[in-house]
Amino acid sequence: MRQVPGVRPALDYLGLSRPSRNTDSDATGDYGVTLARLHGDEHEVGPLNALENKRLRRIRLFGTTGTVLILIGSLGTGMMPVLQNPIVGMRVLSLPSRMFSTALTLTIGGTMILVAAWILLGRYAIGRYGVEVAENRSPVRRMSRRQADRTLVMWIAPLLVAPPLISKDVYSYLAQSAIAYRGMDPYRYSPMRGLGVDHPLTVSVPNLWKDTPAPYGPLFLWLGEQITRVTGYDITAGIALHRLLALCGLAMIVWALPRLAHRCGVSSVAALWLGAMNPLTIIHLVGGIHNESLMIGMMLVGVEWSFRAIYGIRRLWVPGGYRPSPAGWLLLAGIAMISASAMIKVASMLALGFVGVALARRWGATLPALRNAPRSQWWDRSRESIRALLAAGLVTATVMVVVVVAICLGTGLGFGWTRTLSTGGIVRSWMSMPTLLGVVSGRLGLWLGLGEQTEAILEIARPIGELIAALFVVRWLLACLSGRIHPLGGLGISMATVVVLFPFVQAWYLLWAVIPLAAWATTRWFRITTVVISAIIAIVVMPAASGTPPLTVLQSLATGVAVMLVTSVFFFIDHPLRRWMRARRRR
């Protein structure tokens, strides 16, 4: 069919034809060819001018106003503890809890204002969306790193004293840590069994998790155990210290992300804007007090340390021996930090594979050209790469095993976490592709009269999704081995693959992929898609319980839009309404 005159040009024009196969015996596979287009180098540019600085300050204050509104609204929509509620009996502070619709409006309106401020701030980080971003080029001027840091601090400051937002996971942290503090195994005893049904910590744990063991790593539970040692069963103090842990994680992200971006030839300010200043980061990691902040922060610090050693010019080992040099110790420290982050949540273990590939490439590994070569040459072409990969794998695996065993034994919590990794599977999240397809198929079967088969379908769909994710991760590792994409980009893409095909996904899981990719991917469609998805999820994930009447939610959404539009008039000198009023006064 392709040989018919005119067919091949037509297929080429429509983008439906496959490229002719490369029969060169030295050609490697095409792993990562398409993904490599996600990245482009950016150059540093000058500071903002006076007018742009003025507009930036207005945007910063606009976003801060949004988080202040979130703080006020959270007093009525936040995840307050059932017992030991600190605002009960306070006439002013408890007012939002007695006016739920108003509190919901303030929270949604504040979220919309924060999202709008973040989007507007993008002009001073990545450029104008319709000009520089659309043309994949750097803007003429960007805000400085100091301006970005100051903006982030102002946006998160109001949330430091807010109750937990959107999620009650922090109460599970407190209960599971208290079980460990009592000398019991949190991987065997649930809050209800370990503390009792009427315990103050158990009462605030969501019903879904009251009778499930801890799914978190032993390092995180040990940190929580120390918090319990300090605060006892004081819920307010425990929440404050867990939020401090989340802030430590955010500080690590802010430290590592610009350095990784610079290493990949990406603007550090653009990376901070898309990753650390993302509304999902502010609302879910800081406001929601999730341990992903600590996991991602430790992982990125470990990756930066490892890359600093691997891509440096200094030797990793002392000549004539097996003793690490200063650069080698930095590499080992980086691998150890990543391994420790996996003992917060195991997902960050994926970073070790890409650090290992980067190390193997330093030692001479590459993707061998085997596709068109005779089999008699396969070993000769692969020998050096296999040797380097085995050496890098041995170093990485040895450090990882030592760190994991040391943490498991040192904390006294053992290896029970390996039995509870699938605990979150009881959640049926629409953001998980296998779960979404399984639930939809089950409902369709029920509608066709085939009976309730959802659980059986999920038992098949979820393992298939995990297998597909594993195959894709191997493909991205090969792309890094071939040198087509940077290992940081491969890590971010792999995290995105895992999130999409994971059996259970929460809104903040998207940050597993967004934050690493913010330091590598620069193309128009990636940045715009990330902005759109982050903005939608930040607004769509409601701060109220699922039992809130739909009419109340719709009214709050509509009023929240009005709050954002009215508030914007007071902050922007170029607001259309202001221009109209100025023009009318001149007449």
Side-chain angles (χ1 to χ4, degrees):
M1 183 67 179
R2 298 175 188 271
Q3 306 303 322
V4 177
V7 172
R8 182 59 184 262
L11 293 175
D12 289 341
Y13 180 79
L14 295 173
L16 299 177
S17 64
R18 297 183 62 182
S20 58
R21 182 179 175 183
N22 189 346
T23 58
D24 183 2
S25 61
D26 293 325
T28 58
D30 57 354
Y31 310 105
V33 171
T34 302
L35 293 176
R37 300 170 188 166
L38 286 174
H39 172 73
D41 288 341
E42 294 181 324
H43 57 271
E44 296 298 331
V45 295
L48 302 179
N49 58 35
L51 179 60
E52 289 169 334
N53 280 321
K54 184 177 181 180
R55 289 172 174 167
L56 174 62
R57 288 192 293 269
R58 296 293 185 98
I59 294 172
R60 181 189 298 154
L61 290 173
F62 188 52
T64 305
T65 302
T67 53
V68 169
L69 291 178
I70 294 174
L71 167 62
I72 298 172
S74 68
L75 298 177
T77 62
M79 300 302 157
M80 294 291 187
V82 177
L83 302 176
Q84 301 182 26
N85 189 333
I87 68 171
V88 170
M90 295 185 179
R91 292 184 178 181
V92 177
L93 293 181
S94 64
L95 186 61
S97 63
R98 300 194 298 270
M99 304 171 62
F100 179 75
S101 297
T102 303
L104 186 59
T105 297
L106 290 175
T107 306
I108 293 176
T111 302
M112 290 180 175
I113 289 173
L114 176 62
V115 169
W118 177 63
I119 294 173
L120 292 172
L121 193 68
R123 176 174 182 174
Y124 306 113
I126 59 175
R128 292 166 292 181
Y129 296 96
V131 184
E132 289 88 0
V133 176
E135 297 173 2
N136 283 329
R137 60 185 176 89
S138 299
V140 177
R141 292 177 294 275
R142 280 196 182 95
M143 60 180 170
S144 66
R145 169 68 191 279
R146 184 177 180 181
Q147 289 174 319
D149 291 340
R150 185 178 299 175
T151 302
L152 178 59
V153 169
M154 289 181 63
W155 285 2
I156 67 174
L159 300 184
L160 300 183
V161 294
L165 302 179
I166 299 176
S167 170
K168 291 185 176 181
D169 280 2
V170 68
Y171 299 116
S172 296
Y173 301 165
L174 291 171
Q176 292 155 1
S177 301
I179 293 172
Y181 179 68
R182 287 187 171 188
M184 305 170 69
D185 186 358
Y187 300 118
R188 186 178 302 275
Y189 293 97
S190 64
M192 193 166 62
R193 298 176 185 273
L195 299 178
V197 179
D198 299 328
H199 193 278
L201 298 179
T202 304
V203 172
S204 296
V205 176
N207 292 331
L208 189 64
W209 308 115
K210 282 184 179 179
D211 200 24
T212 55
Y216 310 113
L219 179 57
F220 179 71
L221 293 181
W222 181 82
L223 292 172
E225 185 180 344
Q226 308 317 306
I227 290 176
T228 304
R229 191 183 306 278
V230 173
T231 64
Y233 299 136
D234 187 325
I235 294 178
T236 302
I239 289 174
L241 290 183
H242 270 284
R243 179 163 274 148
L244 181 60
L245 282 183
L247 287 176
C248 290
L250 181 62
M252 293 186 209
I253 293 172
V254 171
W255 181 87
L257 201 58
R259 288 166 171 80
L260 290 169
H262 180 73
R263 191 175 302 282
C264 295
V266 175
S267 166
S268 59
V269 170
L272 278 175
W273 170 78
L274 192 58
M277 302 174 71
N278 193 304
L280 294 179
T281 303
I282 295 172
I283 294 173
H284 290 278
L285 297 193
V286 178
I289 321 179
H290 286 110
N291 57 9
E292 267 78 10
S293 178
L294 199 57
M295 179 199 81
I296 296 173
M298 293 175 65
M299 178 186 75
L300 291 183
V301 169
V303 170
E304 165 58 20
W305 286 352
S306 300
F307 286 172
R308 186 179 299 181
I310 292 171
Y311 294 114
I313 60 175
R314 296 182 178 179
R315 291 176 175 269
L316 299 179
W317 310 106
V318 175
Y322 296 97
R323 186 164 55 87
S325 66
W329 282 115
L330 183 62
L331 170 65
L332 298 181
I335 297 173
M337 180 65 82
I338 298 172
S339 303
S341 75
M343 294 296 96
I344 303 292
K345 262 193 168 181
V346 75
S348 62
M349 191 78 74
L350 194 61
L352 291 176
F354 292 91
V355 169
V357 167
L359 180 59
R361 280 185 57 81
R362 160 138 187 186
W363 286 341
T366 186
L367 185 65
L370 304 179
R371 177 177 296 181
N372 302 310
R375 293 188 179 182
S376 59
Q377 298 181 10
W378 282 13
W379 173 245
D380 291 335
R381 290 171 177 259
S382 307
R383 180 169 48 198
E384 291 301 318
S385 295
I386 292 176
R387 180 194 61 78
L389 284 169
L390 289 176
L394 179 62
V395 171
T396 305
T398 300
V399 176
M400 183 267 292
V401 169
V402 169
V403 171
V404 169
V405 171
I407 290 175
C408 291
L409 298 182
T411 60
L413 296 172
F415 300 89
W417 58 275
T418 58
R419 302 191 304 267
T420 61
L421 292 176
S422 60
T423 299
I426 60 178
V427 177
R428 294 183 179 180
S429 171
W430 59 270
M431 297 178 65
S432 166
M433 189 61 65
T435 301
L436 177 63
L437 294 176
V439 171
V440 170
S441 301
R443 292 294 181 269
L444 183 61
L446 192 62
W447 180 68
L448 294 174
L450 301 177
E452 177 56 64
Q453 306 293 333
T454 303
E455 195 61 38
I457 296 174
L458 289 175
E459 290 180 0
I460 298 174
R462 284 175 166 177
I464 291 177
E466 293 173 353
L467 177 61
I468 294 173
L471 294 175
F472 272 112
V473 169
V474 171
R475 186 177 179 91
W476 310 148
L477 286 168
L478 292 175
C480 294
L481 183 61
S482 67
R484 292 196 177 97
I485 60 176
H486 193 279
L488 182 65
L491 171 61
I493 295 166
S494 297
M495 283 291 194
T497 304
V498 169
V499 168
V500 171
L501 297 172
F502 210 56
F504 46 94
V505 178
Q506 302 288 3
W508 53 92
Y509 286 15
L510 294 176
L511 297 171
W512 297 2
V514 169
I515 293 178
L517 284 175
W520 177 76
T522 61
T523 56
R524 169 186 58 191
W525 78 264
F526 167 75
R527 283 177 168 169
I528 291 180
T529 301
T530 301
V531 168
V532 171
I533 293 176
S534 299
I536 291 175
I537 291 180
I539 296 171
V540 167
V541 178
M542 286 288 105
S546 57
T548 304
L551 182 60
T552 302
V553 173
L554 290 175
Q555 290 174 342
S556 300
L557 282 170
T559 313
V561 172
V563 169
M564 180 187 68
L565 294 177
V566 171
T567 307
S568 65
V569 177
F570 298 95
F571 285 93
F572 300 115
I573 57 178
D574 294 331
H575 194 280
L577 183 58
R578 280 194 170 195
R579 289 203 301 266
W580 177 79
M581 294 174 65
R582 284 196 297 266
R584 185 165 182 174
R585 282 197 297 267
R586 294 192 190 102
R587 294 176 183 175

